[in-house]
Amino acid sequence: MCGIVGYIGKQDAYPILIKGLHRLEYRGYDSAGVALISADGKLNVYKTKGKVAELERFAADKDTSGTIGIAHTRWATHGEPNDVNAHPHYSQNGRIALIHNGIIENYGVLKQMLIGKGYTFRSETDTEVLVQFIDYLRTTNNCSLFEAVQAALNQVIGAYAIAVLDRDNKDEIIAARKSSPLVIGIGDGEYFLASDATPIAEYVKDVVYLNDGEIAIINRNKPFRIVNLNNIESKIDICKLEMNISELEKGGYPHFMLKEIFEQPRTITDCIRGRINVEGTDVILSGILDHKERFLNARRIICVACGTSWHAGMIGEYLFEDLCGIEVKVEYASEFRYRNPVVHPDDIVLAISQSGETADTLAAVELAKSRGAFIYGICNVVGSSIARATDSGTYIHVGPEIGVASTKAFTGQVTVLVMMAMMIARLKGRIDTERYESVLRGLLAMPEKIKEILSQADRIKEVAAIYTYARNFLYLGRGCNYPTAMEGALKLKEISYIHAEGCPAAEMKHGTIALIDHEMPTVVIATNGSIYEKTISNIQEIKARGGKVIAVVTEGDTIVSHMADHCIWVPETDEYLTPLLSSIPLQLFAYYIAVNKGRDVDQPRNLAKSVTVE
Ligand code: F6R
């Protein structure tokens, strides 16, 4: 949802900024731009519609010199994606340039005020209003850039991570955040700033995560300072980055999504490492242990999440209710935050988010917090806003997920939810040793089982080729594979642009079955488990109406494999672990269909990875 990057130091800024934009392109890719101050004090701004590669072509014959600069890759909110609406935006006197991730909600009022003062606007964006407003305050108050930014932000309503340059001061960048992420890398006489650590990781290890309401004064000749909106100096809390650069590259795969699907045996290993002992006899999550009483006495668990993370939460509902005997609600964060939800002080709110920056989930967390609930985070990005807003939590540790369609984060989230359910069930004395250890051993065996499925990628590719014609798909599952079916449908929709619907298998006959004909394929998850026989009846209902069935079944299955048109086999496992296996062929199936259709798999249209606006 827009990526911002900045550099000030001894090196040429442009190559660093462009590389940074490529790393952040997953956050938005409808236009890109850069602003640099050259040694002779010129502010050069280049911006263009399209991806970062377009910007590079556009700027190839231009003056890109300078050791200070800011750059932006956009996911449009206000104004269509075009050259004019692209960032950076600059004041009409050409003095101040600014990049922005977020939304300025009161931009209309400010714009009218500025028009009254003689300002004219080139773009339709809220961001241009902010830069002109800063310029206005700077000129009328005859103050420093920092003071003008501080004064402006005190009057702005909305969300922002910004970086601002002044043509007349090539030694300084002012950066600030509220509800949109911003991390600053501190090097030897140089500073990097970015929406996340991926553009920074190869240069420095020391980083500072800016907090809401903080403004950073980054000056190459003066000590680094952070001051808040009330002009109080903040303590500089330096964190160490632990990021492996190879995780940010495609590593020989044609797409990040495929690489991330194939990484899952390793990411699940990383997720359970140090949490389940090698014998598979115990699981310990320190986030739960430290708050044991909270979990033992929880009235309810409320999961708040969006998209894929919401599907993981739905799987959590089956686990926590059955295994732990705790009532569970699973809420779309975007709805929860605008309802007047009943939240009790003895409720536990599980915030599930890969990025840890999703605006709706963060707002749901703040709301639940204000009502006294205990907040537990399941995040991937270490140090992210949601992770920092929670009382406790468990990181999924699957490494950076760059493909816009979430894959390894989903299996990481489900793995954490299973471990949580096991630990709570054990603490509550609700699970016998045999089942407890069998599920834990099942988790330990998961990486090898996923490898087995991945070894069938060519067969899944063949099946995908047969069904690439389809314009609609139905995905069915039951029990904890109902959310898995919804997740499979979402994967197909977002990267292939084929309409797909996930539905509980038994619910189909109450309406959705009317869609079935020989042109509409149905993907059915029919793995072994307590409702296997019922799912068989649902498959028969589809076949009786001429529908095509692609079934995900357990190895050795002889019944469904005779009924379905095509089968994909997954190894046997505990019923509650089946989503970890059945989701893998669905990810590959969606991937190969999207590739066959020539889609931009890693950067599908209209989407962005980190949704930091409402
Ligand atoms: C789908 C997808 C999205 C995200 C959703 C929440 O593949 O990636 O549906 O799951 O935007 O994002 P996080 O988990 O970062 O809060």
Side-chain angles (χ1 to χ4, degrees), residues 399-418:
E401 189 180 63
I402 294 169
V404 163
S406 190
T407 51
K408 62 177 180 173
F410 175 74
T411 48
Q413 290 163 342
V414 174
T415 303
V416 165
L417 288 162
V418 173

Side-chain angles (χ1 to χ4, degrees), residues 306-309 353-355 358 404-406 413 490-491 494 611:
C306 305
T308 289
S309 301
S353 174
Q354 185 284 128
S355 62
T358 301
V404 163
S406 190
Q413 290 163 342
L490 179 63
K491 288 290 87 83
E494 62 186 337
V611 186

Side-chain angles (χ1 to χ4, degrees), residues 464-479:
I466 297 168
Y467 291 96
T468 301
Y469 75 87
R471 302 183 59 178
N472 293 287
F473 269 87
L474 190 59
Y475 281 69
L476 301 181
R478 298 196 72 161

Side-chain angles (χ1 to χ4, degrees), residues 507-528:
E507 192 59 24
M508 175 186 65
K509 58 186 170 295
H510 298 288
T512 313
I513 198 165
L515 297 172
I516 301 290
D517 63 16
H518 65 282
E519 284 188 349
M520 171 127 168
T522 303
V523 177
V524 186
I525 304 172
T527 44
N528 290 354

